[in-house]
Amino acid sequence: MKILAIESSCDETAAAVIDGKAEQVRVLSNIVSSQIEIHKKYGGVIPELAAREHVRNIIPVINEALFEAGIKPSEAAKKLDAIAVTAGPGLMTALSVGVESAKSLALAWKLPVITTNHIAGHIYANWILSEQPKAKLQFPMVILTVSGGHNMLVLMNSHLDYTVIGDTLDDAAGEAFDKGAKMLGLGYPGGPAIAAAAASIDNDQLSIINTLPRPMITAANFNFSFSGLKTALLYALKKDKTWRKKIPAYAAEYQQAIIDCLVAKTIKAAKKYQAQTVLLAGGVSANKELRRQLAEAVAVKLPGVGFGLPELQYTTDNAAMIASAAYFLAREKHYTPWQKISTNPNLDLI
Ligand code: KG4
Ligand code: ZN
């Protein structure tokens, strides 16, 4: 089954073509046009600017995705089986650009449309075929989904069956990375900036290790809270007149505090729900330390449980992951007539 997917929920304009068969998804093309350079000067995504950029880029990006997949626009109606699009959650005006484009193409090419949840897309990035051999993905699964806007622990007992068992009470992990990076003067987006600074820590800066709190780490639930950690960093920097000389140490400690909370709750949830597989998903899953430490924790603390994570190129926003989720929806005939498609900035994962 060949699917063209469109993703425009935040600051990446993306289109991809995939071929789905049985339990796996092969990527034929995956084009992402990033707006990071535009939003960088404001320290965050400006919705109106994001929407304008999507309008400018969406057709060229779709055209490029078709070209790379070896599909001429004139043959698209015959060669594709469906069009998928992110309907939410995300920024309303940004989402609308992708949704309206998908509707237009569906009408022109007489193809069915599959509306997809952005977070489901992040989760289904784990079903994309990769060059590395992967663990067999067996249900039940506990998935840690961590991105800029979302931070959840999700239980899946079968395909497309999501139960949110943990959520953030305030900031998402990605947001915490972005805000921490701002305080440390490390720029936007904060996740990669903090990770890079943390990696350059040297031995005489180790005094900061374990000085920041790990909020809610022992709480008897699977929720997260990162706003107190952010405030703790702010006060630590205010108190330390020489912090500018120790940025890698503060970055490493801040990153580790976030990772400790994420890993502890994920392991606890996997134990409680007797997960066969633990998966990592979302933009923050690009973080090398989180990837390494969660893999290690699963191996040590959950013997016999599988662990999976997306290839780096499918961690931050892209359309291949949306196509992957759409493929599993299409198998169940979850199509929406183009007249009934609507954008929902607060779309729930159900
Ligand atoms: O999933 P995503 O691309 O967009 C949303 O759906 O929100 O996630 C973006 C988030 C940003 O907050 C960014 O700082 C974070 O993912 N991120 C990282 C890394 N790369 C991206 N966080 C930590 N380490 C990284 N290497
Ligand atoms: Zn995302």
Side-chain angles (χ1 to χ4, degrees):
M1 182 182 289
K2 286 205 175 80
I3 298 174
L4 164 71
I6 300 168
E7 151 68 39
S8 68
S9 65
C10 192
D11 59 344
E12 327 276 358
T13 318
V17 180
I18 62 97
D19 191 5
K21 213 180 255 175
E23 285 289 299
Q24 272 173 336
V25 168
R26 197 160 56 91
V27 176
L28 304 181
S29 65
N30 184 38
I31 309 297
V32 181
S33 168
S34 170
Q35 303 176 7
I36 282 178
E37 285 308 316
I38 291 163
H39 300 288
K40 216 176 195 169
K41 38 184 177 294
Y42 305 100
V45 178
I46 309 291
E48 169 69 16
L49 286 185
R52 284 189 211 174
E53 281 307 298
H54 288 314
V55 169
R56 200 197 316 271
N57 295 326
I58 195 103
I59 299 299
V61 164
I62 292 171
N63 204 29
E64 183 74 18
L66 289 173
F67 177 80
E68 268 205 16
I71 299 174
K72 290 191 189 125
S74 59
E75 307 165 339
K78 254 197 212 137
K79 290 201 170 169
L80 293 172
D81 296 290
I83 295 174
V85 66
T86 308
L91 305 169
M92 182 66 187
T93 50
L95 286 162
S96 300
V97 178
V99 167
E100 296 308 313
S101 305
K103 271 189 205 171
S104 312
L105 293 176
L107 180 63
W109 293 339
K110 298 190 174 56
L111 286 173
V113 182
I114 307 147
T115 55
T116 309
N117 181 296
H118 180 80
I119 301 162
H122 277 300
I123 292 173
Y124 272 93
N126 279 290
W127 272 265
I128 295 175
L129 259 175
S130 66
E131 284 171 20
Q132 315 273 315
K134 280 194 170 185
K136 195 159 179 257
L137 304 183
Q138 283 175 309
F139 296 104
M141 296 177 188
V142 163
I143 304 114
L144 172 65
T145 8
V146 267
S147 62
H150 302 276
N151 192 130
M152 292 174 181
L153 274 167
V154 178
L155 172 69
M156 283 175 79
N157 284 314
S158 60
H159 276 300
L160 309 172
D161 167 20
Y162 313 103
T163 307
V164 178
I165 54 173
D167 208 338
T168 177
L169 303 184
D170 37 61
D171 295 347
E175 203 176 347
F177 270 107
D178 294 338
K179 289 177 177 169
K182 218 176 201 174
M183 285 182 226
L184 290 166
L186 291 172
Y188 175 86
I194 288 204
S200 68
I201 188 171
D202 57 41
N203 281 341
D204 41 326
Q205 294 186 346
L206 294 178
S207 60
I208 292 162
I209 302 304
N210 260 322
T211 55
L212 292 175
R214 271 63 173 160
M216 296 185 66
I217 197 161
T218 54
N221 56 47
F222 303 112
N223 292 329
F224 303 92
S225 165
F226 293 112
S227 75
L229 172 63
K230 186 186 65 188
T231 312
L233 176 66
L234 182 71
Y235 283 114
L237 298 182
K238 271 194 178 156
K239 227 168 94 186
D240 184 352
K241 299 287 172 243
T242 62
W243 70 265
R244 284 188 177 78
K245 295 196 177 113
K246 305 173 211 159
I247 289 172
Y250 278 106
E253 169 60 2
Y254 190 72
Q255 171 176 266
Q256 193 56 49
I258 295 174
I259 293 175
D260 283 347
C261 297
L262 296 176
V263 170
K265 290 283 167 94
T266 307
I267 298 294
K268 195 161 136 183
K271 275 187 187 158
K272 165 150 186 205
Y273 292 97
Q274 299 183 330
Q276 291 291 305
T277 311
V278 171
L279 295 179
L280 180 57
V284 181
S285 75
N287 187 281
K288 290 209 173 91
E289 275 304 306
L290 175 61
R291 292 166 81 88
R292 188 183 66 74
Q293 294 184 33
L294 186 57
E296 198 176 285
V298 172
V300 172
K301 297 185 175 156
L302 304 170
V305 172
F307 176 66
L309 34 65
E311 249 182 47
L312 274 181
Q313 59 177 322
Y314 305 122
T315 53
T316 47
D317 291 352
N318 65 87
M321 68 184 198
I322 300 302
S324 180
Y327 163 65
F328 288 90
L329 284 162
R331 291 201 314 183
E332 306 293 323
K333 306 265 179 293
H334 280 280
Y335 297 118
T336 311
W338 67 265
Q339 296 91 332
K340 292 204 170 152
I341 297 168
S342 59
T343 306
N344 182 352
N346 302 314
L347 188 66
D348 282 331
L349 181 68
I350 40 169

mmCIF file of all heavy atoms in Angstrom, residues 192-231:
data_model
loop_
_atom_site.group_PDB
_atom_site.id
_atom_site.type_symbol
_atom_site.label_atom_id
_atom_site.label_comp_id
_atom_site.label_asym_id
_atom_site.label_seq_id
_atom_site.Cartn_x
_atom_site.Cartn_y
_atom_site.Cartn_z
ATOM 1 N N PRO A 192 18.993 19.914 21.240
ATOM 2 C CA PRO A 192 20.310 19.623 20.665
ATOM 3 C C PRO A 192 21.403 20.514 21.269
ATOM 4 O O PRO A 192 22.533 20.069 21.460
ATOM 5 C CB PRO A 192 20.141 19.925 19.170
ATOM 6 C CG PRO A 192 18.675 19.930 18.920
ATOM 7 C CD PRO A 192 17.997 20.255 20.214
ATOM 8 N N ALA A 193 21.055 21.773 21.606
ATOM 9 C CA ALA A 193 22.051 22.707 22.161
ATOM 10 C C ALA A 193 22.513 22.233 23.542
ATOM 11 O O ALA A 193 23.714 22.225 23.848
ATOM 12 C CB ALA A 193 21.454 24.112 22.248
ATOM 13 N N ILE A 194 21.569 21.820 24.390
ATOM 14 C CA ILE A 194 21.927 21.321 25.734
ATOM 15 C C ILE A 194 22.736 20.028 25.607
ATOM 16 O O ILE A 194 23.752 19.845 26.291
ATOM 17 C CB ILE A 194 20.666 21.099 26.600
ATOM 18 C CG1 ILE A 194 20.108 22.475 26.972
ATOM 19 C CG2 ILE A 194 20.977 20.246 27.844
ATOM 20 C CD1 ILE A 194 19.263 22.542 28.199
ATOM 21 N N ALA A 195 22.290 19.140 24.706
ATOM 22 C CA ALA A 195 22.996 17.858 24.535
ATOM 23 C C ALA A 195 24.446 18.106 24.108
ATOM 24 O O ALA A 195 25.376 17.465 24.624
ATOM 25 C CB ALA A 195 22.273 16.992 23.516
ATOM 26 N N ALA A 196 24.645 19.050 23.191
ATOM 27 C CA ALA A 196 26.008 19.333 22.703
ATOM 28 C C ALA A 196 26.859 19.936 23.816
ATOM 29 O O ALA A 196 28.015 19.552 24.013
ATOM 30 C CB ALA A 196 25.947 20.270 21.503
ATOM 31 N N ALA A 197 26.275 20.890 24.568
ATOM 32 C CA ALA A 197 27.036 21.518 25.664
ATOM 33 C C ALA A 197 27.376 20.468 26.723
ATOM 34 O O ALA A 197 28.511 20.402 27.216
ATOM 35 C CB ALA A 197 26.218 22.650 26.286
ATOM 36 N N ALA A 198 26.397 19.614 27.053
ATOM 37 C CA ALA A 198 26.609 18.596 28.093
ATOM 38 C C ALA A 198 27.733 17.642 27.710
ATOM 39 O O ALA A 198 28.500 17.190 28.569
ATOM 40 C CB ALA A 198 25.310 17.821 28.324
ATOM 41 N N ALA A 199 27.832 17.366 26.413
ATOM 42 C CA ALA A 199 28.846 16.404 25.950
ATOM 43 C C ALA A 199 30.264 16.964 26.100
ATOM 44 O O ALA A 199 31.234 16.209 26.067
ATOM 45 C CB ALA A 199 28.575 16.028 24.496
ATOM 46 N N SER A 200 30.359 18.303 26.276
ATOM 47 C CA SER A 200 31.702 18.884 26.362
ATOM 48 C C SER A 200 32.144 19.133 27.815
ATOM 49 O O SER A 200 33.128 19.828 28.073
ATOM 50 C CB SER A 200 31.761 20.202 25.572
ATOM 51 O OG SER A 200 30.963 21.167 26.220
ATOM 52 N N ILE A 201 31.434 18.536 28.770
ATOM 53 C CA ILE A 201 31.779 18.715 30.192
ATOM 54 C C ILE A 201 33.170 18.121 30.469
ATOM 55 O O ILE A 201 33.545 17.107 29.889
ATOM 56 C CB ILE A 201 30.705 18.040 31.099
ATOM 57 C CG1 ILE A 201 30.942 18.372 32.564
ATOM 58 C CG2 ILE A 201 30.644 16.550 30.893
ATOM 59 C CD1 ILE A 201 29.802 17.931 33.483
ATOM 60 N N ASP A 202 33.952 18.805 31.327
ATOM 61 C CA ASP A 202 35.217 18.173 31.714
ATOM 62 C C ASP A 202 35.235 17.898 33.219
ATOM 63 O O ASP A 202 34.373 18.369 33.961
ATOM 64 C CB ASP A 202 36.444 18.969 31.236
ATOM 65 C CG ASP A 202 36.427 20.384 31.755
ATOM 66 O OD1 ASP A 202 36.070 20.565 32.925
ATOM 67 O OD2 ASP A 202 36.774 21.317 30.994
ATOM 68 N N ASN A 203 36.226 17.135 33.646
ATOM 69 C CA ASN A 203 36.211 16.592 35.008
ATOM 70 C C ASN A 203 36.153 17.629 36.124
ATOM 71 O O ASN A 203 35.535 17.402 37.158
ATOM 72 C CB ASN A 203 37.435 15.699 35.228
ATOM 73 C CG ASN A 203 37.195 14.349 34.603
ATOM 74 O OD1 ASN A 203 36.040 13.997 34.354
ATOM 75 N ND2 ASN A 203 38.253 13.617 34.325
ATOM 76 N N ASP A 204 36.766 18.815 35.940
ATOM 77 C CA ASP A 204 36.755 19.781 37.035
ATOM 78 C C ASP A 204 35.411 20.505 37.160
ATOM 79 O O ASP A 204 35.258 21.401 37.973
ATOM 80 C CB ASP A 204 37.932 20.768 36.945
ATOM 81 C CG ASP A 204 38.210 21.231 35.549
ATOM 82 O OD1 ASP A 204 38.004 20.411 34.636
ATOM 83 O OD2 ASP A 204 38.595 22.394 35.366
ATOM 84 N N GLN A 205 34.417 20.100 36.360
ATOM 85 C CA GLN A 205 33.097 20.738 36.492
ATOM 86 C C GLN A 205 32.087 19.806 37.155
ATOM 87 O O GLN A 205 30.893 20.083 37.173
ATOM 88 C CB GLN A 205 32.585 21.130 35.113
ATOM 89 C CG GLN A 205 33.432 22.213 34.452
ATOM 90 C CD GLN A 205 32.815 22.692 33.144
ATOM 91 O OE1 GLN A 205 31.929 22.079 32.610
ATOM 92 N NE2 GLN A 205 33.301 23.809 32.655
ATOM 93 N N LEU A 206 32.559 18.700 37.687
ATOM 94 C CA LEU A 206 31.622 17.678 38.171
ATOM 95 C C LEU A 206 30.875 18.061 39.453
ATOM 96 O O LEU A 206 29.932 17.382 39.840
ATOM 97 C CB LEU A 206 32.340 16.333 38.365
ATOM 98 C CG LEU A 206 32.836 15.697 37.054
ATOM 99 C CD1 LEU A 206 33.578 14.397 37.326
ATOM 100 C CD2 LEU A 206 31.684 15.435 36.086
ATOM 101 N N SER A 207 31.257 19.178 40.077
ATOM 102 C CA SER A 207 30.651 19.561 41.354
ATOM 103 C C SER A 207 29.157 19.850 41.242
ATOM 104 O O SER A 207 28.442 19.865 42.240
ATOM 105 C CB SER A 207 31.355 20.790 41.905
ATOM 106 O OG SER A 207 31.213 21.827 40.964
ATOM 107 N N ILE A 208 28.662 20.069 40.054
ATOM 108 C CA ILE A 208 27.247 20.424 39.897
ATOM 109 C C ILE A 208 26.355 19.180 39.815
ATOM 110 O O ILE A 208 25.144 19.256 40.020
ATOM 111 C CB ILE A 208 27.099 21.350 38.670
ATOM 112 C CG1 ILE A 208 27.779 22.664 39.038
ATOM 113 C CG2 ILE A 208 25.653 21.622 38.294
ATOM 114 C CD1 ILE A 208 28.138 23.546 37.980
ATOM 115 N N ILE A 209 26.973 18.039 39.575
ATOM 116 C CA ILE A 209 26.202 16.794 39.415
ATOM 117 C C ILE A 209 25.326 16.529 40.644
ATOM 118 O O ILE A 209 25.781 16.647 41.783
ATOM 119 C CB ILE A 209 27.164 15.595 39.177
ATOM 120 C CG1 ILE A 209 28.016 15.849 37.940
ATOM 121 C CG2 ILE A 209 26.405 14.264 39.045
ATOM 122 C CD1 ILE A 209 27.279 16.137 36.671
ATOM 123 N N ASN A 210 24.073 16.177 40.374
ATOM 124 C CA ASN A 210 23.091 15.853 41.418
ATOM 125 C C ASN A 210 22.671 17.007 42.308
ATOM 126 O O ASN A 210 22.260 16.801 43.445
ATOM 127 C CB ASN A 210 23.619 14.718 42.306
ATOM 128 C CG ASN A 210 22.999 13.413 41.872
ATOM 129 O OD1 ASN A 210 21.827 13.383 41.507
ATOM 130 N ND2 ASN A 210 23.794 12.359 41.866
ATOM 131 N N THR A 211 22.759 18.216 41.797
ATOM 132 C CA THR A 211 22.335 19.370 42.613
ATOM 133 C C THR A 211 20.922 19.825 42.261
ATOM 134 O O THR A 211 20.298 20.547 43.025
ATOM 135 C CB THR A 211 23.292 20.563 42.429
ATOM 136 O OG1 THR A 211 23.375 20.843 41.033
ATOM 137 C CG2 THR A 211 24.681 20.261 42.973
ATOM 138 N N LEU A 212 20.404 19.437 41.101
ATOM 139 C CA LEU A 212 19.053 19.856 40.707
ATOM 140 C C LEU A 212 18.034 18.785 41.116
ATOM 141 O O LEU A 212 18.375 17.606 41.213
ATOM 142 C CB LEU A 212 18.992 20.095 39.190
ATOM 143 C CG LEU A 212 19.795 21.296 38.663
ATOM 144 C CD1 LEU A 212 19.752 21.358 37.140
ATOM 145 C CD2 LEU A 212 19.299 22.617 39.255
ATOM 146 N N PRO A 213 16.774 19.194 41.335
ATOM 147 C CA PRO A 213 15.758 18.210 41.758
ATOM 148 C C PRO A 213 15.328 17.293 40.616
ATOM 149 O O PRO A 213 15.522 17.616 39.442
ATOM 150 C CB PRO A 213 14.589 19.095 42.187
ATOM 151 C CG PRO A 213 14.759 20.362 41.410
ATOM 152 C CD PRO A 213 16.237 20.559 41.230
ATOM 153 N N ARG A 214 14.777 16.140 40.971
ATOM 154 C CA ARG A 214 14.168 15.211 39.994
ATOM 155 C C ARG A 214 12.674 15.186 40.346
ATOM 156 O O ARG A 214 12.209 14.291 41.066
ATOM 157 C CB ARG A 214 14.744 13.805 40.145
ATOM 158 C CG ARG A 214 15.996 13.497 39.311
ATOM 159 C CD ARG A 214 17.177 14.313 39.647
ATOM 160 N NE ARG A 214 18.393 13.888 38.939
ATOM 161 C CZ ARG A 214 19.440 14.653 38.776
ATOM 162 N NH1 ARG A 214 19.452 15.899 39.242
ATOM 163 N NH2 ARG A 214 20.496 14.204 38.142
ATOM 164 N N PRO A 215 11.884 16.171 39.862
ATOM 165 C CA PRO A 215 10.500 16.310 40.331
ATOM 166 C C PRO A 215 9.655 15.065 40.089
ATOM 167 O O PRO A 215 9.721 14.459 39.032
ATOM 168 C CB PRO A 215 9.961 17.489 39.510
ATOM 169 C CG PRO A 215 11.173 18.216 39.036
ATOM 170 C CD PRO A 215 12.250 17.195 38.888
ATOM 171 N N MET A 216 8.902 14.694 41.094
ATOM 172 C CA MET A 216 7.910 13.605 41.062
ATOM 173 C C MET A 216 8.493 12.226 40.775
ATOM 174 O O MET A 216 7.752 11.299 40.451
ATOM 175 C CB MET A 216 6.819 13.901 40.023
ATOM 176 C CG MET A 216 6.008 15.122 40.368
ATOM 177 S SD MET A 216 4.645 15.399 39.232
ATOM 178 C CE MET A 216 3.601 13.999 39.531
ATOM 179 N N ILE A 217 9.814 12.097 40.911
ATOM 180 C CA ILE A 217 10.418 10.817 40.505
ATOM 181 C C ILE A 217 9.920 9.649 41.358
ATOM 182 O O ILE A 217 9.811 8.528 40.857
ATOM 183 C CB ILE A 217 11.970 10.924 40.495
ATOM 184 C CG1 ILE A 217 12.575 9.767 39.685
ATOM 185 C CG2 ILE A 217 12.559 11.000 41.889
ATOM 186 C CD1 ILE A 217 13.990 9.995 39.227
ATOM 187 N N THR A 218 9.578 9.919 42.618
ATOM 188 C CA THR A 218 9.101 8.820 43.461
ATOM 189 C C THR A 218 7.576 8.845 43.648
ATOM 190 O O THR A 218 7.032 8.021 44.383
ATOM 191 C CB THR A 218 9.769 8.872 44.863
ATOM 192 O OG1 THR A 218 9.543 10.175 45.394
ATOM 193 C CG2 THR A 218 11.259 8.594 44.801
ATOM 194 N N ALA A 219 6.885 9.769 42.997
ATOM 195 C CA ALA A 219 5.425 9.858 43.144
ATOM 196 C C ALA A 219 4.774 8.561 42.658
ATOM 197 O O ALA A 219 5.264 7.926 41.724
ATOM 198 C CB ALA A 219 4.879 11.042 42.349
ATOM 199 N N ALA A 220 3.657 8.202 43.315
ATOM 200 C CA ALA A 220 3.006 6.923 42.993
ATOM 201 C C ALA A 220 2.084 7.056 41.783
ATOM 202 O O ALA A 220 0.910 6.683 41.824
ATOM 203 C CB ALA A 220 2.234 6.446 44.210
ATOM 204 N N ASN A 221 2.583 7.640 40.711
ATOM 205 C CA ASN A 221 1.816 7.709 39.457
ATOM 206 C C ASN A 221 2.823 7.824 38.317
ATOM 207 O O ASN A 221 4.030 7.792 38.553
ATOM 208 C CB ASN A 221 0.866 8.920 39.473
ATOM 209 C CG ASN A 221 1.621 10.212 39.729
ATOM 210 O OD1 ASN A 221 2.650 10.482 39.123
ATOM 211 N ND2 ASN A 221 1.126 11.013 40.653
ATOM 212 N N PHE A 222 2.329 7.953 37.094
ATOM 213 C CA PHE A 222 3.247 7.985 35.948
ATOM 214 C C PHE A 222 3.308 9.372 35.305
ATOM 215 O O PHE A 222 3.630 9.507 34.137
ATOM 216 C CB PHE A 222 2.833 6.910 34.929
ATOM 217 C CG PHE A 222 2.801 5.548 35.543
ATOM 218 C CD1 PHE A 222 1.608 4.867 35.717
ATOM 219 C CD2 PHE A 222 3.974 4.950 36.000
ATOM 220 C CE1 PHE A 222 1.576 3.616 36.319
ATOM 221 C CE2 PHE A 222 3.955 3.705 36.607
ATOM 222 C CZ PHE A 222 2.755 3.030 36.762
ATOM 223 N N ASN A 223 2.992 10.395 36.116
ATOM 224 C CA ASN A 223 3.017 11.750 35.586
ATOM 225 C C ASN A 223 4.388 12.395 35.749
ATOM 226 O O ASN A 223 5.229 11.936 36.520
ATOM 227 C CB ASN A 223 1.959 12.602 36.279
ATOM 228 C CG ASN A 223 0.563 12.142 35.909
ATOM 229 O OD1 ASN A 223 0.346 11.639 34.805
ATOM 230 N ND2 ASN A 223 -0.374 12.283 36.827
ATOM 231 N N PHE A 224 4.561 13.480 34.998
ATOM 232 C CA PHE A 224 5.825 14.220 35.027
ATOM 233 C C PHE A 224 5.540 15.676 35.360
ATOM 234 O O PHE A 224 4.433 16.167 35.164
ATOM 235 C CB PHE A 224 6.492 14.169 33.639
ATOM 236 C CG PHE A 224 6.752 12.783 33.138
ATOM 237 C CD1 PHE A 224 5.814 12.125 32.345
ATOM 238 C CD2 PHE A 224 7.930 12.124 33.449
ATOM 239 C CE1 PHE A 224 6.048 10.836 31.880
ATOM 240 C CE2 PHE A 224 8.173 10.835 32.991
ATOM 241 C CZ PHE A 224 7.224 10.194 32.199
ATOM 242 N N SER A 225 6.562 16.374 35.828
ATOM 243 C CA SER A 225 6.456 17.820 36.041
ATOM 244 C C SER A 225 7.854 18.392 35.900
ATOM 245 O O SER A 225 8.787 17.941 36.570
ATOM 246 C CB SER A 225 5.904 18.097 37.439
ATOM 247 O OG SER A 225 6.121 19.452 37.766
ATOM 248 N N PHE A 226 8.017 19.354 35.007
ATOM 249 C CA PHE A 226 9.363 19.894 34.794
ATOM 250 C C PHE A 226 9.488 21.381 35.112
ATOM 251 O O PHE A 226 10.569 21.942 34.992
ATOM 252 C CB PHE A 226 9.827 19.632 33.349
ATOM 253 C CG PHE A 226 10.038 18.168 33.069
ATOM 254 C CD1 PHE A 226 9.209 17.482 32.196
ATOM 255 C CD2 PHE A 226 11.056 17.474 33.701
ATOM 256 C CE1 PHE A 226 9.388 16.122 31.961
ATOM 257 C CE2 PHE A 226 11.250 16.110 33.471
ATOM 258 C CZ PHE A 226 10.416 15.444 32.600
ATOM 259 N N SER A 227 8.374 22.025 35.530
ATOM 260 C CA SER A 227 8.498 23.470 35.743
ATOM 261 C C SER A 227 9.345 23.774 36.984
ATOM 262 O O SER A 227 10.085 24.758 37.011
ATOM 263 C CB SER A 227 7.128 24.142 35.787
ATOM 264 O OG SER A 227 6.501 23.870 37.002
ATOM 265 N N GLY A 228 9.265 22.903 38.020
ATOM 266 C CA GLY A 228 10.076 23.118 39.216
ATOM 267 C C GLY A 228 11.574 22.968 38.920
ATOM 268 O O GLY A 228 12.414 23.670 39.492
ATOM 269 N N LEU A 229 11.897 22.062 38.014
ATOM 270 C CA LEU A 229 13.293 21.858 37.628
ATOM 271 C C LEU A 229 13.840 23.111 36.931
ATOM 272 O O LEU A 229 14.954 23.569 37.211
ATOM 273 C CB LEU A 229 13.380 20.643 36.688
ATOM 274 C CG LEU A 229 14.740 20.393 36.045
ATOM 275 C CD1 LEU A 229 15.808 20.076 37.084
ATOM 276 C CD2 LEU A 229 14.642 19.253 35.021
ATOM 277 N N LYS A 230 13.000 23.664 36.078
ATOM 278 C CA LYS A 230 13.357 24.885 35.352
ATOM 279 C C LYS A 230 13.624 26.028 36.343
ATOM 280 O O LYS A 230 14.621 26.738 36.245
ATOM 281 C CB LYS A 230 12.161 25.207 34.448
ATOM 282 C CG LYS A 230 12.308 26.319 33.507
ATOM 283 C CD LYS A 230 10.960 26.556 32.824
ATOM 284 C CE LYS A 230 9.888 27.015 33.811
ATOM 285 N NZ LYS A 230 8.539 27.090 33.268
ATOM 286 N N THR A 231 12.740 26.163 37.338
ATOM 287 C CA THR A 231 12.907 27.218 38.344
ATOM 288 C C THR A 231 14.174 26.952 39.168
ATOM 289 O O THR A 231 14.913 27.888 39.499
ATOM 290 C CB THR A 231 11.677 27.259 39.284
ATOM 291 O OG1 THR A 231 10.519 27.249 38.465
ATOM 292 C CG2 THR A 231 11.664 28.485 40.151
#
